[in-house]
Amino acid sequence: MASIRIAISLAVLTGQAIAVNNGLARTPQMGWNNWNSLGCDVSESLLLDTSKTLVNSGLRDVGYNYVVLDDCWSDERDEKDFLKVDMKKFPNGMNAVADEIHRQGLLFGMYSSAGEMTCARYAGSLDYETNDATSFAKWDVDYLKYDNCYHMGRFGTPKLSFDRYKVMADALNATGRPILYSLCNWGEDFSHTWGMSIANSWRMSGDIYDSFSRPDDLCPCTDAADPHCIAPGSHCSVLSIVNKVAGFADRGQPGGWNDLDMLEVGNGGMTDDEYKAHFSLWAALKSPLLMGNDLRTLSANALTILNNPAVIAINQDPEGRSVSRVRRDTDAAPDKYGIGEIQVWSGYLYGGDQVVLLLNAGGKDTRITASLAEIFLHEGPEGSAPQVQEEWEVYDLWADRMDNILGQKILDADVNQLGTLFKDANWYNSTELPYKDGLKKSDPRLMGKKIGKIAPGGSLSAKVKKHSAEMFRLRSVGEGGKRKFKRR
């Protein structure tokens, strides 16, 4: 933990941040949050048991290092207007919880709302920001998720929302403790245009739910270009969130990220292919990766999606650039909800590599083909990008997914057996070799499996099952691909 604190302090002192200047979230944050699977069923034992699972399952070692307690933890305010901890749920207090989480090599997150109440109607932090930030710092908190419920009408323009959230940003900074600041205002008032000035991430849509494509009346804002849509809602499918962020996917940058909401992997509402596509998209769009399942009942299927280092490396790429959508066809074979889309997403990576996602959000398996001219559209339109004339090696980022049999052995193993299992599997450990260093070395565990080449002027083509995605890393052959990078 000392090394984590020193690194944070150095980042603050040297002013390395490009977005909000607190030195945190240089790549999108990773961790776990209880809300999607457990809601208000929170306790000290839940957090500590989850922390142990993060360590024993190897999830901490592939990057998931924040344990975030969501709503329902408080018990009103005391006579000095400081929040009280519910001692029935947390009998040893928050400092004891933080100490144990830190002892596991993890970081501790908490929750409040920029309103008079939280979303579950506990005491909110609006107009109590200084007191509550002081408490969070006193409790050794490393992360604050800050929600949007019961805001007393203080929204409706970007300036109103910015000012309301900035009060807590200033209060956190005034404590002197580095605390990652995660806005959860559901994309209201165009948070993607101002969130990076005060926060490390900002929600850009209504709440996700465990569906790949089902439309829901509670998630009516489907057009990111419509400034009059003021009901971001909830019950937003994976596809609806992806389609909304497409218009401003490029707003994330080191220190501040578009937050597509917590992951639903492992909660049971989607197929394995849908969960793989969900995880792939969140990773490539540089969303924070906060698992939302109950890790105490983690399945091997979920583990082997969540622990794929080749996909996580895309999310943690040091360039910090999201993929952009270069094609969207809406006339594909429809699924049972009448939705049929084919999408191609592409983005550049550290060292001149390129990531490509072929998404089939339709109802039938199909072959998707993307030309190099499409893939490098944003480097030069109409095939004018120099990369179009290069030869590229193609690496499948899911080909080396951990076998479910090994995943189950890890989940069933005694603690003293885990070291041998992970060593025999040669599984990537980002606490020993950070992703940035692994990418510099072209560590094969981060590259995926080489499956072929694309000739100059050629195309990438793959059979993609319905409601799934294929994800590839392209690597230029020879000296090509090392294009200049312009940071905004």
Side-chain angles (χ1 to χ4, degrees):
M1 281 307 300
S3 61
I4 292 174
R5 301 273 171 77
I6 291 169
I8 288 171
S9 298
L10 286 173
V12 173
L13 289 172
T14 57
Q16 293 175 348
I18 293 171
V20 60
N21 191 22
N22 64 5
L24 303 174
R26 307 302 306 150
T27 56
Q29 65 265 30
M30 298 176 61
W32 171 86
N33 178 294
N34 62 273
W35 185 257
N36 282 8
S37 56
L38 295 161
C40 276
D41 187 12
V42 297
S43 64
E44 180 176 314
S45 62
L46 168 66
L47 299 185
L48 300 188
D49 289 347
T50 298
S51 298
K52 291 176 183 176
T53 302
L54 281 167
V55 175
N56 294 340
S57 66
L59 288 168
R60 178 198 63 183
D61 292 344
V62 292
Y64 298 94
N65 61 349
Y66 283 100
V67 178
V68 182
L69 167 65
D70 211 281
D71 207 343
C72 314
W73 56 266
S74 67
D75 182 19
E76 301 299 332
R77 294 186 178 273
D78 65 19
E79 65 280 359
K80 294 183 179 179
D81 286 330
F82 285 88
L83 286 168
K84 295 186 295 180
V85 174
D86 187 332
M87 299 304 288
K88 292 181 181 178
K89 297 176 180 177
F90 303 91
N92 293 300
M94 287 303 177
N95 281 109
V97 172
D99 286 348
E100 179 56 26
I101 289 173
H102 290 155
R103 193 183 69 79
Q104 299 279 353
L106 298 162
L107 297 165
F108 178 40
M110 291 188 70
Y111 164 100
S112 190
S113 180
E116 61 178 331
M117 293 186 290
T118 68
C119 294
R121 301 188 180 184
Y122 289 71
S125 292
L126 188 62
D127 299 328
Y128 295 94
E129 292 88 351
T130 299
N131 280 13
D132 293 354
T134 300
S135 294
F136 296 137
K138 178 182 176 182
W139 295 332
D140 291 335
V141 170
D142 306 295
Y143 183 119
L144 177 65
K145 174 185 172 182
Y146 203 42
D147 219 329
N148 195 35
C149 289
Y150 302 100
H151 49 51
M152 300 177 71
R154 299 185 203 177
F155 88 115
T157 70
K159 184 68 164 62
L160 279 171
S161 286
F162 174 85
D163 287 348
R164 176 162 53 97
Y165 281 94
K166 185 176 185 296
V167 179
M168 180 57 86
D170 292 342
L172 293 173
N173 290 336
T175 68
R177 180 177 179 79
I179 298 176
L180 190 151
Y181 188 32
S182 174
L183 302 189
C184 183
N185 82 323
W186 323 319
E188 282 186 348
D189 290 340
F190 306 101
S191 56
H192 64 276
T193 67
W194 50 263
M196 66 287 293
S197 296
I198 56 172
N200 297 110
S201 61
W202 48 90
R203 281 279 303 284
M204 44 58 60
S205 75
D207 290 351
I208 193 172
Y209 82 137
D210 197 8
S211 172
F212 185 75
S213 66
R214 180 186 176 275
D216 195 289
D217 287 343
L218 289 175
C219 185
C221 288
T222 58
D223 184 2
D226 180 5
H228 303 294
C229 191
I230 57 171
S234 59
H235 284 212
C236 295
S237 69
V238 166
L239 187 61
S240 69
I241 293 173
V242 166
N243 284 339
K244 185 171 183 182
V245 79
F248 49 89
D250 61 343
R251 293 304 179 102
Q253 53 191 298
W257 308 101
N258 281 313
D259 183 355
L260 279 60
D261 206 359
M262 292 167 281
L263 293 163
E264 291 284 3
V265 177
N267 281 330
M270 293 186 244
T271 66
D272 188 74
D273 284 332
E274 289 171 338
Y275 279 138
K276 279 175 55 184
H278 169 31
F279 188 65
S280 300
L281 286 159
W282 262 232
L285 283 157
K286 300 298 189 288
S287 174
L289 299 179
L290 274 292
M291 297 177 290
N293 54 324
D294 186 350
L295 294 184
R296 299 170 302 179
T297 57
L298 179 65
S299 69
N301 272 358
L303 173 63
T304 60
I305 292 174
L306 294 165
N307 73 356
N308 184 339
V311 174
I312 295 171
I314 301 298
N315 183 257
Q316 298 294 296
D317 188 88
E319 294 288 6
R321 306 293 293 198
S322 169
V323 289
S324 296
R325 190 165 64 194
V326 296
R327 191 206 311 169
R328 181 189 186 191
D329 300 329
T330 57
D331 57 354
D335 64 12
K336 64 181 179 180
Y337 303 116
I339 294 171
E341 295 195 20
I342 299 297
Q343 300 186 15
V344 178
W345 293 77
S346 180
Y348 50 85
L349 300 169
Y350 173 82
D353 290 359
Q354 191 84 359
V355 60
V356 182
L357 282 94
L358 307 178
L359 173 65
N360 180 3
K364 295 178 82 172
D365 298 356
T366 190
R367 177 163 291 277
I368 301 175
T369 300
S371 68
L372 289 177
E374 274 188 299
I375 290 168
F376 293 102
L377 175 67
H378 290 165
E379 301 300 323
E382 305 300 333
S384 63
Q387 292 83 0
V388 175
Q389 303 307 319
E390 297 172 13
E391 183 180 19
W392 294 85
E393 295 176 335
V394 181
Y395 293 78
D396 184 340
L397 297 183
W398 282 104
D400 293 328
R401 176 182 177 180
M402 179 182 280
D403 184 86
N404 280 349
I405 295 174
L406 174 57
Q408 193 61 54
K409 285 182 179 179
I410 290 170
L411 294 174
D412 294 340
D414 293 331
V415 174
N416 58 8
Q417 298 174 312
L418 290 170
T420 300
L421 285 172
F422 284 115
K423 183 178 180 181
D424 289 349
N426 191 30
W427 211 248
Y428 196 81
N429 187 328
S430 65
T431 68
E432 296 175 353
L433 184 65
Y435 285 103
K436 182 176 182 179
D437 297 335
L439 290 168
K440 284 182 179 179
K441 296 179 178 182
S442 294
D443 189 300
R445 295 169 293 182
L446 304 184
M447 296 298 106
K449 181 180 180 180
K450 183 179 175 183
I451 60 169
K453 291 184 179 181
I454 305 174
S459 298
L460 172 67
S461 185
K463 186 74 174 289
V464 186
K465 291 189 287 185
K466 65 180 182 179
H467 280 205
S468 71
E470 297 296 330
M471 190 177 193
F472 305 98
R473 178 186 285 267
L474 307 187
R475 312 204 77 197
S476 182
V477 176
E479 297 301 315
K482 305 297 186 284
R483 54 203 181 278
K484 293 181 179 179
F485 173 70
K486 283 189 175 181
R487 196 177 289 283
R488 292 191 310 275

